[in-house]
Amino acid sequence: MDILGGLASGFAVALTPTNLALAFLGCFVGTIIGALPGIGPVNGVAILIPLAFSFQLDPASALILLSCVYYGCMYGGRISSIMLNIPGDEPAIMTTLDGYPMARQGKATEALAISAVASFVGATLATVGLTLFSPLLARAAIHFGPSDYFALYVMAFATIGGVTGANPCKTLLAAFLGLMLATVGLDPASGTARYTFGSFNLYDGFDPIVAIVGLFAISEVLIFLETSHKPSGGMPPLGRMFAGLKDVRRSFGAMLRGSGLGFVAGILPGAGASLGAFLAYVFERRWSNRNDTFGKGDPRGVAAPEAGNNAAAGGALIPMLTLGIPGSGTTAVMLALLISLNITPGPLLFERQPEMVWGLIASLYIANVVLLVLNLPLVGLFTRMLSLPAYVLMPFVVMVSFLGIYSISNSTFDLLVMIGFGLLGFVMRKLDISLVPLVLGLLLGADMENNLRRALSISNGDFSILFESPIALVIYAITAVALLVAFGFAFTGRRIAPPSEKDAALGG
């Protein structure tokens, strides 16, 4: 009954004219961003965060806008995968395996329709799971003590750095770098300046929003300046305007199975949509590939990964809202927004900010319907957006980044910090080092340090308190298993992620 009451109050928030307009805008813009190759949901949300501050949106409206952009990007990523064989983002890699062969066979409209319906099914089921499980997990997390939260942060860094990265050593290094950057500023206990080099501008540390826009948006501009993302070949014709329901019905079981696997993958900190899409495709291939049609244009090979990656996107919101631990790179960026708005995600969020949380959840139901309505009749418009040249897109990204950051603080120093993080992000991407662990360290470093201080204060400096709680011991055990599996797969050449290294094998 509490869930139904909360959801009813959430729809009262989501159905206001302002929030409805923001949800529609977020879905439309997110679909376009997701369709453009190489940008993806993390960069899309990072670019639009300054606009949320510039428009002076309240926390609920800002979160609704960015969440709808997030969902829209997950929908849009399939378009360039199917039409150009170029994934709009990493999770959409699995969609290319059967989506592009369908397009080359003159079934582009069918592939796009199946992927849209699969995205709707996966995202809607994940939103239902978010509605049911988030309050339960929040109530359980209330019993966590400082040592338990410290163990949870250790697991977050280990799983995001060890499971999702191509090289666990590199991504763990990035996590440690993020933790080091989080210590810049005044010591919370003694007030001593740490690593500020005499600059008063650094006494408050690095603003996560400034760092994230630099790491993702500015580095993306630099990558575009270095390499061309313009497609080398033409797009296959769309064919007839409306697809039949036969393939959609045939693929419905794959959508349900992919949704379940994707949702579980999304809940795991650090797993995210890439693992969700990968698991959904591999399972469906083994379950349904009786005639050896997968990789040759099987509609179920489109439905399963699309349902999986969209379900993972919804599942990733659960640990972010209830534990303050992002389940993916995009939710890490959204976590930075909440922290900048002086909102602390965690088990008490449902009690302290119920209108915001339930308004967000209700808006996701609305967003899924809007995205389905947009993506079926307007697919021709979104495919034409793929021809947008980089020399038009990149100046707009730069303009939004600089104006948005300056409007937040009116500080030229923050612009320099943004450029500095942009250069750092460019170098890390050239070295094939994931940016997500660095962002996670920057966001959670202060909380991790504070919980460590509290635990040691309770025990009078005895570090054994970190291992006395049964909850903490279970979390450490899960962390150890995850790290062993990640390093084992990395050293044997059978890495868990990214799935791009497996697409050739799976498609053949």
Side-chain angles (χ1 to χ4, degrees), residues 98-328:
D98 283 277
Y100 187 66
M102 286 186 68
R104 300 303 296 177
Q105 296 166 14
K107 300 179 180 178
T109 301
E110 288 91 331
L112 290 168
I114 290 170
S115 64
V117 175
S119 298
F120 172 79
V121 171
T124 300
L125 292 179
T127 307
V128 173
L130 176 66
T131 305
L132 297 176
F133 295 122
S134 291
L136 299 177
L137 183 57
R139 283 195 286 269
I142 291 177
H143 302 288
F144 280 32
S147 59
D148 302 322
Y149 270 107
F150 180 80
L152 195 64
Y153 291 136
V154 171
M155 183 181 73
F157 288 120
T159 52
I160 250 185
V163 174
T164 63
N167 187 320
C169 295
K170 287 184 178 180
T171 45
L172 286 174
L173 177 64
F176 283 120
L177 178 59
L179 285 172
M180 291 172 61
L181 292 173
T183 62
V184 174
L186 297 179
D187 184 282
S190 65
T192 304
R194 303 185 298 191
Y195 313 114
T196 60
F197 301 101
S199 173
F200 292 103
N201 293 302
L202 292 176
Y203 272 26
D204 291 330
F206 293 112
D207 189 325
I209 299 299
V210 176
I212 286 172
V213 173
L215 285 170
F216 291 102
I218 301 302
S219 70
E220 187 66 35
V221 172
L222 296 176
I223 292 291
F224 261 100
L225 291 175
E226 184 188 32
T227 60
S228 173
H229 288 259
K230 187 176 181 181
S232 57
M235 288 187 294
L238 277 176
R240 67 181 189 270
M241 289 301 296
F242 299 99
L245 296 178
K246 180 180 178 181
D247 286 336
V248 174
R249 289 197 300 266
R250 180 188 173 202
S251 305
F252 193 71
M255 297 177 192
L256 295 178
R257 290 186 288 270
S259 299
L261 291 170
F263 182 70
V264 173
I267 295 176
L268 299 174
S274 298
L275 184 61
F278 171 66
L279 291 177
Y281 185 88
V282 170
F283 180 83
E284 193 61 32
R285 181 184 175 95
R286 294 178 178 175
W287 180 273
S288 305
N289 192 25
R290 296 180 177 86
N291 299 320
D292 196 28
T293 55
F294 273 64
K296 302 174 183 178
D298 193 309
R300 293 167 296 182
V302 175
E306 279 301 306
N309 69 39
N310 282 273
L317 292 171
I318 293 180
M320 185 201 77
L321 293 174
T322 59
L323 301 175
I325 303 295
S328 66

